[in-house]
Amino acid sequence: MNASITERQAALMGMGDSRLRKEDARFIQGKGNYVDDIKMPGMLHMAIVRSPFAHARIKGINKAKALAIPGVLAVLTADDLKPLKLHWMPTLAGDVQAVLADAKVHFQMQEVAVVIAEDRYIADDAVQAVEVEYEELPAVVDPHKALLPEAPVLREDLAGKSEGAHGKRYHPNHIFTWEAGDQAAADAALAKAEVKVEQKMFYPRVHPCPLETCGCVASFDPIRGELTTYMTSQAPHVVRTVVSMLSGIPESKVRIISPDIGGGFGNKVPIYPGYVCAIVASIVLGRPVKWVEDRIENISSTGFARDYHMSGELAATKDGKITGLKVNVIADHGAFDSCADPSKFPAGMFHICTGSYAIPSAYCRVDGVYTNKAPGGVAYRCSFRVTEAVYLIERMVDVLAQKLNLDKAEIRARNFIRKEQFPYKSALGFEYDSGDYHTALKKVLDAVDYKGLRAEQAAKRADPKSPTLMGIGLVSFTEVVGAGPSKICDILGVGMFDSCEIRVHPTGSAIARMGTISQGQGHQTTYAQIIATELGLPSEVIQVEEGDTSTAPYGLGTYGSRSTPVAGAAIAMASRKIHAKAKKIAAHLLEVSENDLDWEIDRFKVKGNDAKFKTMKDVAWAAYHQPPAGMEPGLEAVHYYDPPNFTFPFGIYLCVVDISKATGETAIRRFYALDDCGTRINPMIIEGQIHGGLTEGFAVAMGQLLSFDEQGNIQGNTLMDYFLPTMVETPRWETDHTVTPSPHHPIGAKGVAESPHVGSIPTFTSAVVDAFAHLGVTHMEMPHTSARVWKQLQASGVACE
Amino acid sequence: MIPPSFGYSAPSSLPEALKLLAQHGDEAKILAGGHSLLPMMKFRFAEPGHLIDLNRVDELKGIREEGGLIVIGAMTSESDLIASKLLTQKLPLLAETALQIADPQVRNRGTIGGDIAHGDPGNDHPAIMLVLDATFVLSGPKGERSVPASKFFHGTYMTDLQASEILKEIRIQPFAAKTGYAYCKLKRKTGDWASAAAAVVLTMSGDKVSTLRIALTNLAATAIRAEAAEADLQGRPLSDANIDAAAKAAMAICDPAADLRGDVEYKTAMAGEMVKRAIRLAATRCR
Amino acid sequence: MSKQLISMSVNGKKLEQAVEPRTLLVHFLREQLNLTGTHIGCDTSHCGACTVDVDGKSLKACTILAVQCHGSEVMTVEGLAQGGALHAIQDAFYKEHGLQCGFCTPGMMIRAYRLLQENPNPSEDEIRIGMSGNLCRCTGYQNIIKAVQHAAKTLSASGLKVAA
């Protein structure tokens, strides 16, 4: 009857507990509620007419045949949206994007018209019946060619604008130049370097490809003047603000609901023309309108990631101490700059590219460029452009190690920011919160018997009859997540805080509402665990809700690993406000002063007297019926958390590959991932997130690619060609961890879901290149498909004949 | 992605199916497993006015032994090929091949007849039919005719099957004792078509090749026999040098289309590699 | 095109409905029967989110017509739990954290349900091959494999065998 401290602790299922997921019950019974599951009375269906050309003028659109199909209610084009001033819309990056192509199409599969019909079958038929006359124009698919003086002008709507949202544009196809660091210092370091290396690398265009595509159900109630839209959005509150600004409907009458979301990975952050058209159609027709894209539309037209042409230079001493870094990037943003980055950072957090290393001088410059490709540049399971940055620095360090004939573990250890240097101010302007890279590296090297692996590799290299090449990849990455301090980070002027509102009910259960939205991360489970530990109430009785802008407090959403660093902190802070009030009530009930109380797991007890206590549950009841005189009844709190800094999770990954000399096939023999995400809230969920991130990283490194031919035709936009690995191809993952809490986060947590994606991709490249390192190869471009690796085998003269 | 409207019939006998085919003429398309046709219709690359679904024609399903031959109904699914005890004993190459096609769900639906009649050079059964020297029985308005596999594949999506005909069954001589076989397929991932693949059927006389047939998948406009490669090894031992020479001879007849799986050079080289692997694997099974 | 009357049994319930010949099974289940547990992920039979069980076989409902299932017995994720009790496969996916966003989960489970009847005690490799028609973007599969192994153990321990 008197539960022990351990039992009471366990009963909470709080932080650190591998609590099973609260959300699973509905998913395993087929009762999830995804956008396409939503049906409303009188609901219509919208489908999109898309351009077959990458660059063309629209000479005319004939709707007649489509409108003649029974069941077709409307066909809308840019001309129909013009009177509403909705044929163009602002992007999060300060550009404008055509909602429906206005006189010209800028990429293949661009939205040209929409049809609205009684059911989705008729809508699809009508799409085929809309006749569009095009005059094809030369397409520009290479961003370098886009910047040539003679290149065709892609964005005629920007004619004469030499200033963009981020300063000067030096060419009609140039979007912005963004710089960080000290160019003179970096140049000086390079000029007097004992050793210099330079490497160009292309991080190809890929797509996040969540299993659920994007879509919405828009429903405008003309009597009440209210707009409700269910949407696959990772940021519903921002969407509401934008929709209100565009439509003129007061924000209080716009309700955006993100129901269950079938994976996001950054793809569901932007606002797409389909959403806008469905909303307009619902307003015009007075009936709910559903739009759900198919897979080809998803891959071809919604937010892609990467497409960075990077070139790096490292300066170093002869013993491998890095003295300077210089980076130049040509960033292909496609037809419109619709990147979803904090407003002041058109290249996101790319300036994390000094990595885990104490590099005294650094400079980076990114130039954004328009091409005839789909717009995007989203953070595909990473913080903004961090994947690109980590890839760059990790490749550069490997290249330098090869030049100096230093082991890649050794060169990293020599350059790591040391534990005692934190908080560490990087040359490109970040203040790293905490880290212990040396300990993590040693742990990994010991776990895999690194020396043994190198010995085995040396033996294989010495044996010309070996049917395989063996490669060892090693990466030590540092992420920057949890955007972000609102003094520097905002989306359309709204600071990137996040929020939590907690109400504790009289009987000791509670509800928490959040500004974030889970897409599989398990927020309903983990957020409740934070509250459980903070308030001493079992997580089982804590309900977590998010995604409905009418009930949840304003938040910036879930992407860039910001849920735990920002919203997780908001939960702790809101809990602490409640805790403070609860303490006053407990003191009142126990007739002692607050100073005489100790908090223990689930109760306030009088110091030195274990028998005299009030549990949080007791306090909750009292808060509603006998609060101290002068105190407001109730037990609830709201907190908007504006983080003082980003958090900096890190990890050490090691991969062993065996490459067939006959076919170029790469077998992943071993992948060991050590992550440090600070305080661990739910180890089971962390492990699951890491498995998933590693698998997505594997897909990117080994097979994903959105390529285009010279005419701008996208290649391989179905799941036949676009590489999503099955169980058969996916490696077996080994995971490990260290714990270095963030000193500025209320519970010390840093965020984890994106680290494995960011960290694994350069690890695979490092391993594949390492297999060829003894042959003088320093870099190979992704994706490392068998065909490409075989070309290297041929070039290096080691392919089996 | 939605297919356009069409009429639909599901006959329960072959004569009924043929009659429907005659009745609907050019408008009609035969629906077998549907995993090529339905996606093409969803893309609106194909817009047939009428589908004649053979899934209820029981006489087109099943595997039996008849007059010393193995007879496989055209509507036999890949899963049924894999599960067949008769094939495991008499023609194990078919199950080995079927297991490398698509994924479990698709194999439950996809049929051997559909795979052959579609004429897609990426499909796997055509090369197998060439090395097995199979005969196809085609039913038409004027009765049946038999066409050897070697005369059936005319080009990409072009076969000897006339618009009024239905592929009824496939007749194959079962393996003699000690016949070696292999189908080696290089692919990017589960469910993909071959980057290159080679089928081999082999018998040995002592340490010398007695009979050998080699065919290639997805390396030309149709599946192709590598006859020069076969001739290279005829009556010779399977030394590394001889196998290499045969692989080179096979590569010489390749004319693959470059795509995301690789360029012409890679696919051709992989054809050689798959031929080598298939010969070596077949040799281990000649005992 | 005129509609055709079809009858089938879905999750043990007999029903009769009129459908256009072009109606895909997945749309029939989702739109006409409101069984929205079966999902659409790729439209081209590659992802397996639409996997259902038809006459004892796993099929991809995005690439089969509803009319083709006339007279068939169809089972979807909604038919797994019986009498309010979760099926061992559902319980195993929960216990082993075999799902994240949940979108692939119904297809995964209904495929695992059939796999474990075809092969009640599969090795890890047999699971990987047997489930290779189902894509997941969240989990990296490791816990799905564990879940299938977990369910296999539960099913063989309880001697529960659902008629194939």
Side-chain angles (χ1 to χ4, degrees), chain A residues 125 663 721 729 791 801, chain B residues 44 190 263 265-266 276:
Chain A
D125 290 344
T663 60
D721 284 315
E729 294 82 38
K791 293 276 173 198
E801 283 297 318
Chain B
R44 307 222 177 196
T190 302
D263 61 12
E265 186 194 13
Y266 179 66
K276 285 192 254 182

Side-chain angles (χ1 to χ4, degrees), chain A residues 76 133 156 158 198 218 366 377 446 582:
Chain A
L76 302 177
E133 194 191 333
E156 289 166 357
L158 300 179
E198 197 177 340
V366 180
D446 289 349

Side-chain angles (χ1 to χ4, degrees), chain A residues 121 124-125 128 294 296 662-663 665 716 718-723 726 728-729 786-787 790-791 794 801, chain B residues 1-2 4-5 43-44 186 188-193 260-263 265-266 269-270 273-274 276-277:
Chain A
Y121 280 54
D124 241 48
D125 290 344
Q128 311 298 321
D294 66 34
I296 292 172
T663 60
E665 288 171 291
T718 70
L719 293 196
M720 162 56 81
D721 284 315
Y722 190 67
F723 181 56
T726 75
V728 171
E729 294 82 38
S786 306
W790 183 81
K791 293 276 173 198
Q794 290 280 107
E801 283 297 318
Chain B
M1 284 176 19
I2 313 287
S5 289
F43 287 122
R44 307 222 177 196
L186 182 71
R188 296 174 301 177
K189 59 169 179 172
T190 302
D192 199 10
W193 278 300
L260 296 170
R261 292 171 189 82
D263 61 12
E265 186 194 13
Y266 179 66
M270 291 308 103
E273 177 63 20
M274 293 303 114
K276 285 192 254 182
R277 286 185 184 182

Side-chain angles (χ1 to χ4, degrees), chain A residues 230-451:
Chain A
Y230 295 84
M231 189 183 283
T232 49
S233 176
Q234 296 177 229
H237 298 273
V238 181
V239 171
R240 183 184 63 179
T241 300
V242 173
V243 168
S244 173
M245 284 159 59
L246 286 178
S247 66
I249 304 171
E251 211 164 345
S252 53
K253 290 194 169 193
V254 178
R255 182 180 183 191
I256 306 294
I257 303 170
S258 292
D260 288 325
I261 296 185
F265 317 120
N267 182 235
K268 291 170 180 169
V269 175
I271 295 171
Y272 294 122
Y275 299 150
V276 176
C277 291
I279 288 170
V280 171
S282 178
I283 293 171
V284 170
L285 297 167
R287 287 169 68 178
V289 174
K290 179 187 275 189
W291 166 66
V292 176
E293 62 183 5
D294 66 34
R295 176 57 56 194
I296 292 172
E297 294 178 294
N298 176 251
I299 294 180
S300 311
S301 71
T302 64
F304 74 91
R306 323 284 150 78
D307 219 345
Y308 259 34
H309 299 256
M310 306 188 280
S311 122
E313 289 171 88
L314 275 185
T317 63
K318 274 184 285 196
D319 56 358
K321 192 90 182 114
I322 301 167
T323 54
L325 167 72
K326 192 175 171 186
V327 185
N328 269 292
V329 179
I330 295 293
D332 186 340
H333 283 227
F336 309 102
D337 189 12
S338 70
C339 281
D341 292 315
S343 303
K344 298 184 188 77
F345 297 93
M349 304 291 125
F350 185 76
H351 49 311
I352 192 71
C353 63
T354 52
S356 307
Y357 314 105
I359 301 179
S361 57
Y363 167 75
C364 73
R365 168 181 170 147
V366 180
D367 284 280
V369 182
Y370 291 122
T371 58
N372 288 120
K373 295 190 241 173
V378 300
Y380 173 6
R381 204 173 182 135
C382 63
S383 192
F384 317 99
R385 302 294 188 185
V386 171
T387 308
E388 292 90 327
V390 168
Y391 186 79
L392 176 107
I393 185 65
E394 290 304 303
R395 291 275 62 243
M396 292 309 301
V397 171
D398 271 13
V399 171
L400 177 64
Q402 268 177 272
K403 169 116 179 184
L404 293 168
N405 203 21
L406 260 179
D407 183 84
K408 46 175 99 164
E410 178 57 31
I411 197 167
R412 284 175 166 80
R414 282 185 199 178
N415 285 287
F416 276 158
I417 301 163
R418 293 186 314 277
K419 191 176 161 187
E420 62 275 14
Q421 286 177 285
F422 292 95
Y424 174 83
K425 205 149 174 92
S426 79
L428 293 177
F430 284 112
E431 187 176 290
Y432 291 37
D433 57 352
S434 63
D436 183 355
Y437 304 150
H438 287 97
T439 301
L441 177 65
K442 181 168 183 333
K443 202 173 177 198
V444 170
L445 298 181
D446 289 349
V448 300
D449 181 19
Y450 185 65
K451 277 191 185 145

